[in-house]
Amino acid sequence: LKVINCCVWDPSGEIFELKAELNSDKKEKKKEAVKKVIASMTVGKDVSALFPDVVNCMQTDNLELKKLVYLYLMNYAKSQPDMAIMAVNTFVKDCEDPNPLIRALAVRTMGCIRVDKITEYLCEPLRKCLKDEDPYVRKTAAVCVAKLHDINAQLVEDQGFLDTLKDLISDSNPMVVANAVAALSEIAESHPNSNLLDLNPQTINKLLTALNECTEWGQIFILDCLANYMPCDDRESQSICERVTPRLSHANSAVVLSAVKVLMKFMEMLPKDLDYYGTLLKKLAPPLVTLLSAEAELQYVALRNINLIVQKRPEILKHEMKVFFVKYNDPIYVKLEKLDIMIRLASQANIAQVLAELKEYATEVDVDFVRKAVRAIGRCAIKVEQSAERCVSTLLDLIQTKVNYVVQEAIVVIKDIFRKYPNKYESVIATLCENLDSLDEPEARAAMIWIVGEYAERIDNADELLESFLEGFHDESAQVQLQLLTAIVKLFLKKPTETQELVQQVLSLATQDSDNPDLRDRGYIYWRLLSTDPVAAKEVVLAEKPLISEETDLIEPTLLEELICHIGTLASVYHKPPSAFVEGSRGVQHKRLPARAGSCLLYSPAASHFMGAGLGVAPAAMPASLGGAPAVGGGLGDLFDLGGGVGMPTGSYVAPKTVWLLAIKAKGLEISGTFARRGGIIQMDLSLTNKAMSVMTDFAVQFNRNSFGLAPAGPMQVLTPLSPNQTIDVSLPLSMSGPVMKMEPLNNLQVAVKNNIDVFYFSCQYPLSLLFVEDGRFYRQVFLATWKDIPNDSEAQFQIKDIHLNSDVASNKLQGSNIFTIAKRTVEGQDMLYQSIKLTNGIWVLAEMRIQTGNPNYTLSIKCRAPEVCQFVYQCYELVLKN
Amino acid sequence: MIGGLFIYNHKGEVLISRVYRDDIGRNAVDAFRVNVIHARQQVRSPVTNIARTSFFHVKRSNIWLAAVTKQNVNAAMVFEFLYKMCDVMTAYFGKISEENIKNNFVLIYELLDEILDFGYPQNSETGALKTFITQQGIKGQPQTKEEQSQITSQVTGQIGWRREGIKYRRNELFLDVLESVNLLMSPQGQVLSAHVSGRVMMKSYLSGMPECKFGMNDKIVIDKQGKGGTTDDPGKSGKQSIAIDDCTFHQCVRLSKFDSERSISFIPPDGEYELMRYRTTKDIILPFRVIPLVREVGRTKLEVKVVIKSNFKPSLLAQKIEVRIPTPLNTSGVQVICMKGKAKYKASENAIVWKIKRMAGMKESQISAEIELLPTNDKKKWARPPISMNFEVPFAPSGLKVRYLKVFESKLNYSDHDVIKWVRYIGRSGIYETRC
């Protein structure tokens, strides 16, 4: 234990001595004293009592001394806010120093002093430094904006620093650009829905230019930022990919991995038949292999990422099996990861080599590694049928070694092999039975018992074997107990005459002497089945088993997609979404891969300028061919997700049309409409009525910026002129690629419609359920953690009154509108439904709905990182359930 | 981004602690010590998550460097940064040891302030840092305005790794092609896997801001030139070219130019650095061939005969040759006879180690050994680990040849011909094994 020097009473007089030295006239002595202070600070001694004396040393033209004092200030200013003010003057003066190094030092340090009072004084110097003539000062000031934002976000916005920061993206110096990008990305992360970074083809071009010129770290900032961009079409994404691929030859592995991330993401948009797509796939393999010659820690990061890449695009590395062979002196964490990837890459073509390697590994010393290797052999057998026989004989060889944990691991995998290839390898059972006594791990015991029960008719002394386990029934783990119960019942069904006593014994052990409800329940069920209908019992217990899948431990596709968007980061190392380990609002936004071949570019650019400039030429310039695009209606919705099991989901609810624009306000044009989501496509259904005396032609529509970026995905199709008193129905497909601005209320949409007479404006509100996407099913495992993770004060509770549906019908109905029930629990007559919703912009909403039998009022609790949506989600629930 | 950086000695005492972000408290220092440095079992991962805080660590001799964060940072970047920090510290004060760190702690804090701002890595090239971070006297004061702006433009500029105004009386450069050749061969002499991983190290002592162009016998370049009918070096154009699987470059190399034209052009840092790394798998010259012969004579005796053949020009000499022949665990005694070099049975390593100081090309040498075994009732058969080899040869096993390294410096009055250039090839064994 370290001695912690308590300085308040300063027994050694050290503080007193230092104080004297700090106030010395001699420069050298002063400097030495400050050094001593810093040394004490490092080891955790409290030297805050010296604050005024140290600050007194600040006014010096000795740069080294100055830096030391600054270091001290950064550490203690927070505990001494009043005294920290004493330093302000010097800072402000230093920010004007003719030496750029000193100006930068001052602004850098000032940003690190997290005292409210000081931040006020920081604004003016910072503003100057952001526009300093020297790039070194500017690049330091750019980071300082992020620091200030961390202390006081509002202040940064009010002072207009964000705009200055955006301007720096066009700076002539690459390092200034890189730091500005880093700062903006960080600030944008805490405002998930803001359009702060405002990436468009022009800024992307600037970033790509800076990419060639800045330091290795700057390249990482820029590439990580680029990865958040959604290119408009496949051509743009190809041209970005072309400019990013040279980075794959960079010596810095992080640059390479970030480039891989950008490529993996944008590749999604390229058509697979494109030549370039194939070229890109080929270009990705060599740099990934090269990452494995880096230092061990980086290899580990690379391997964790390769594990994801191999799952997403197995074709990239399918010929590179050999590089994942384990080297004798690899650290254990590298060995384990390599093994994992080897199994994923195993195929008929390379299985012989893989097996030879695995056999070698099974004789190593590290227990975890050996176990994994043995398990891997089993997985090869299941994956590559042709190799199954060789795998089984390898496993038998390993069992012969009698190394305890090897034997146990082998038995566990052999059980799976039996399941995959029934009636093929049962000849080995005798060998397995020899090892019965040495099994001491529950998993292995359970596996062995399963085998004995499953093949009871072929094992002469099955009853004896099982009976031997029964002796210590209560000391076994639950897993083994359950397996033993089932095995004995199987045995009884196969050889009823000899085993009646045994089955009696196990049933009474399970039902009468056990505290485990699962075991008791299973025991009772078997008991009743056996006593009422032995034939049914046979059908239930000895039923044919479903096939087991070839791949194990695969990451869920939605999670995998998200992790691909996080290549190179901690999320990709942990294989968990950032929300699982990051606190607060940062990184909670779920990232998604782009969809293949989009055509949003055709319409969106005009939209942003539209409202201010009137209609202009934009709609007229639309190609007429667009009309036929996504006019898919109804029907499809029914094909989605039959997962509920009970009945068919009813389609999403569509409200009846309401009048949005009155004829008297629009020179005779009346518009009524509603919104619908059909099979993933959002539509605005409009009825246009001409109540004027003249013919109307040249219809066009535009939206103002809105909270979720709704925009028309094509022009409004009114092909024939609208005669007086005629009504026409049009469906306008909508996309989510428009510009974003928060509206009040959140779901408000301002629309402009033009015809040959004039431009008319109206606003309408869309139900939020329009934005609930089809893949909004949350991973069950993460639900609870995420639920707990969202602070309680952002939980909203609502009552939904007068609903007379049971929980299944209700959840079925909700599913029609993409509100997914992912778990259900019944507690004391109360059904608890756990539900998840995902909005088009990636916001997740979690809900818990409580339904009491006989009570028509439901209680709904909603949790979301963006609490402002809760109210609107509740409205959707009510709408859907009541209609 | 990185929230804090700690350096510990082997006991877990903090030598350096620099916190960049508010979410990292003093308790993080202790958490790492307790959970990682003082952990009972072996470290199972270089990234550890303790109470929602992530710790990245690397070890240099018995010093621990740990970066701490609470965010979803770029993990690869953090490790690259930690390595870079080690490089910078080594460049300033030599070996990273507890003593050196304690003696230089003020300098380290100053460096950390410069190369990491709010957890974002900044310019970390020693060449640039040394222009304004010095501990010998304060360079800050007598600088002229021009000097200051020269420093800042270098630190932030496109050529952050080199400072202006470097002068040498003699312009000189050294190129070392260092290769490590890896092999796994079957007892019958079939190559199971072989690859070369190579590095081109450069030591440059050049004045001014020289523009360099490096050329080697890269198959893609040679083929391209062959078609065009132009070779700038007709004497060597007949030589064989090599296929490079993949290569990476120091940040001074213009990558987009390499991507489009496959030419390697750059302004080099001053002094020693690694210009490129590469990997090849085709047409590798295997400098040695090992032919093993193991015969079991009864249950208590093994006869081993190993022949090594050198497979390169007779005029070249291989050095530091070592052959390691594994022996069973129940070996009781060994008799060795070798014609060349010295061989010894090392019981603690379960191997016969045969060392030869020098060996010319196209030669052959042999060792035979009789191994006496203790009778055991261990059913497990001896796994026969592979025979491994170590050596050093004065050529590049991949076949890589430096074709040229041209230096252009337009502002100063020296030309490519005035630069004295040295090229050296060293091939070493990586994992060079033959199964027996």
Side-chain angles (χ1 to χ4, degrees), chain A residues 64-79:
Chain A
E64 192 190 1
L65 182 57
K66 193 171 244 159
K67 282 182 179 174
L68 288 174
V69 175
Y70 280 179
L71 190 65
Y72 178 89
L73 269 175
M74 286 186 263
N75 245 311
Y76 286 114
K78 221 178 166 190
S79 56

Side-chain angles (χ1 to χ4, degrees), chain A residues 139-178:
Chain A
K139 73 107 185 163
T140 311
V143 176
C144 189
V145 176
K147 292 179 188 167
L148 188 58
H149 187 271
D150 198 36
I151 309 169
N152 191 340
Q154 196 56 45
L155 186 71
V156 170
E157 278 168 49
D158 295 346
Q159 296 278 332
F161 285 139
L162 293 182
D163 293 321
T164 324
L165 204 52
K166 278 190 206 167
D167 294 341
L168 288 184
I169 289 190
S170 314
D171 199 280
S172 57
N173 183 293
M175 194 161 180
V176 178
V177 179

Side-chain angles (χ1 to χ4, degrees), chain A residues 172-218:
Chain A
S172 57
N173 183 293
M175 194 161 180
V176 178
V177 179
N179 276 4
V181 167
L184 276 173
S185 303
E186 177 167 343
I187 296 171
E189 234 176 71
S190 49
H191 298 277
N193 291 320
S194 71
N195 206 10
L196 196 59
L197 264 164
D198 194 24
L199 296 174
N200 54 45
Q202 287 80 35
T203 36
I204 293 294
N205 195 29
K206 280 176 199 155
L207 293 184
L208 285 169
T209 311
L211 186 61
N212 286 326
E213 294 166 352
C214 60
T215 65
E216 46 194 331
W217 314 116

Side-chain angles (χ1 to χ4, degrees), chain B residues 141-386:
Chain B
Q141 272 62 59
Q143 286 166 346
T144 62
K145 206 156 186 245
E146 288 76 56
E147 277 173 332
Q148 287 164 3
S149 74
Q150 210 174 61
I151 291 172
T152 60
S153 80
Q154 196 215 331
V155 175
T156 60
Q158 297 176 19
I159 311 161
W161 51 86
R162 190 181 178 91
R163 64 189 166 89
E164 302 242 13
I166 297 173
K167 280 208 179 74
Y168 287 102
R169 217 158 49 83
R170 206 159 99 120
N171 287 299
E172 204 170 14
L173 65 84
F174 301 83
L175 272 180
D176 279 349
V177 177
L178 305 175
E179 293 196 340
S180 100
V181 51
N182 299 277
L183 169 77
L184 185 63
M185 192 177 255
S186 77
Q188 292 75 33
Q190 187 193 0
V191 177
L192 296 175
S193 77
H195 78 271
V196 167
S197 58
R199 294 182 298 156
V200 178
M201 300 296 294
M202 182 168 172
K203 257 184 253 176
S204 71
Y205 304 106
L206 301 169
S207 312
M209 293 299 251
E211 178 71 46
C212 298
K213 208 171 164 193
F214 175 67
M216 53 187 177
N217 55 342
D218 176 3
K219 197 166 188 303
I220 297 174
V221 178
I222 305 272
D223 288 357
K224 230 198 289 181
Q225 286 177 348
K227 268 178 218 154
T230 52
T231 40
D232 28 4
D233 209 347
K236 284 181 185 169
S237 62
K239 291 251 166 139
Q240 196 189 356
S241 57
I242 63 159
I244 292 173
D245 285 25
D246 188 38
C247 47
T248 60
F249 296 98
H250 184 266
Q251 61 166 323
C252 65
V253 176
R254 296 184 187 93
L255 294 179
S256 39
K257 209 156 183 190
F258 178 73
D259 196 56
S260 56
E261 302 162 25
R262 224 171 155 89
S263 75
I264 303 167
S265 61
F266 54 95
I267 296 173
D270 194 40
E272 189 173 5
Y273 73 104
E274 186 183 292
L275 175 65
M276 79 178 272
R277 265 175 201 239
Y278 57 90
R279 202 155 44 77
T280 72
T281 46
K282 288 196 192 71
D283 303 321
I284 294 168
I285 308 159
L286 297 169
F288 285 95
R289 165 94 204 271
V290 178
I291 304 156
L293 198 76
V294 181
R295 208 160 64 96
E296 286 177 41
V297 188
R299 295 195 57 187
T300 56
K301 204 168 154 192
L302 272 181
E303 278 180 13
V304 180
K305 200 173 114 181
V306 176
V307 180
I308 58 168
K309 284 185 179 171
S310 58
N311 176 34
F312 44 88
K313 269 194 239 160
S315 57
L316 298 175
L317 271 182
Q319 290 184 348
K320 300 176 192 166
I321 301 148
E322 186 187 293
V323 183
R324 188 170 280 264
I325 305 159
T327 55
L329 298 175
N330 55 337
T331 302
S332 59
V334 176
Q335 271 100 47
V336 226
I337 310 159
C338 58
M339 304 184 304
K340 217 173 168 217
K342 283 179 189 162
K344 221 184 211 173
Y345 167 62
K346 293 196 173 167
S348 58
E349 296 168 34
N350 286 312
I352 300 166
V353 180
W354 176 26
K355 287 182 178 172
I356 304 171
K357 276 195 183 138
R358 256 173 238 104
M359 187 166 171
M362 304 316 256
K363 288 264 160 54
E364 194 178 303
S365 193
Q366 180 184 320
I367 184 172
S368 37
E370 275 186 21
I371 303 169
E372 313 257 343
L373 303 175
L374 290 170
T376 57
N377 27 5
D378 194 357
K379 280 187 210 144
K380 199 180 155 189
K381 263 182 77 185
W382 180 46
R384 286 202 187 177

